[in-house]
Amino acid sequence: MNRTKLAVLFVAVLCSVSAPAHAGPATPGALEAGFPHVFRLFQLGDPANPACVYYNEAAAGRGAAVDAANCRSDTPHWFVRNSLPDSVLFQLEDFPGRCLIGDTSTLPGVVLVGSCDDPRAGWVGGGHIDPPRWALAPRSAPNMYLRDNGIALVLQNTDTPLETPGYYWNPQ
């Protein structure tokens, strides 16, 4: 192999290793590699109005955060990431056996709470650690991203979830 081809190959490999995640969700391995095991989900698309994902045993929704690093302490908001072969589960720490569900049977899709055995409970995603910015989608609809529209949590499509406010999340 001549030096020019070798140099081009080296640059291509270097770029593929250092390139940030783009629009399409990756495998569950991306969530396992950079996503905390126990976490809260922050929406920081509007820095003046940070929000958290809150839940009870039957429903999940968005609500105002105390600030960019703290959810309200009076409402459950901690999740546990559990890995499956083709996705991850976001289990509700306060309600074992209950998980976030991505239901895309409506438009826009909705986020529910249900049994972790539900086939809609698996999530995939992609993103990066610094700055922490993750796009999340149900395994069953990997182009329908979790979005905070300022009123509710929905599942909608966008070509650039990591660059579109409301579509990217900061797990802490």
Side-chain angles (χ1 to χ4, degrees):
M1 185 179 289
N2 69 32
R3 288 184 181 192
T4 304
K5 287 181 182 178
L6 189 58
V8 169
L9 179 61
F10 176 77
V11 170
V13 168
L14 184 62
C15 289
S16 69
V17 170
S18 63
H22 294 290
T27 65
L31 293 180
E32 292 173 21
F35 219 79
H37 179 68
V38 177
F39 63 94
R40 303 165 291 181
L41 278 177
F42 284 89
Q43 179 49 246
L44 304 174
D46 178 359
N49 297 301
C52 288
V53 175
Y54 298 102
Y55 59 81
N56 59 34
E57 193 170 6
R62 55 101 51 219
V66 174
D67 56 38
N70 294 289
C71 296
R72 293 188 331 251
S73 61
D74 62 341
T75 305
H77 57 270
W78 287 99
F79 296 91
V80 177
R81 176 189 44 80
N82 292 318
S83 300
L84 300 174
D86 62 349
S87 60
V88 297
L89 299 175
F90 296 147
Q91 185 171 334
L92 286 59
E93 186 177 65
D94 295 272
F95 301 101
R98 307 293 285 171
C99 286
L100 280 186
I101 304 285
D103 182 2
T104 58
S105 64
T106 62
L107 286 178
V110 294
V111 178
L112 311 169
V113 167
S115 169
C116 294
D117 294 330
D118 189 311
R120 302 170 299 168
W123 293 82
V124 294
H128 41 80
I129 296 170
D130 189 20
R133 188 176 280 199
W134 294 85
L136 308 170
R139 180 188 54 80
S140 60
N143 292 321
M144 297 291 285
Y145 297 96
L146 178 61
R147 177 178 180 222
D148 176 355
N149 68 9
I151 300 169
L153 297 175
V154 296
L155 299 168
Q156 291 183 312
N157 191 8
T158 181
D159 291 334
T160 56
L162 294 177
E163 289 81 39
T164 307
Y167 283 93
Y168 52 84
W169 298 85
N170 179 355
Q172 298 180 15

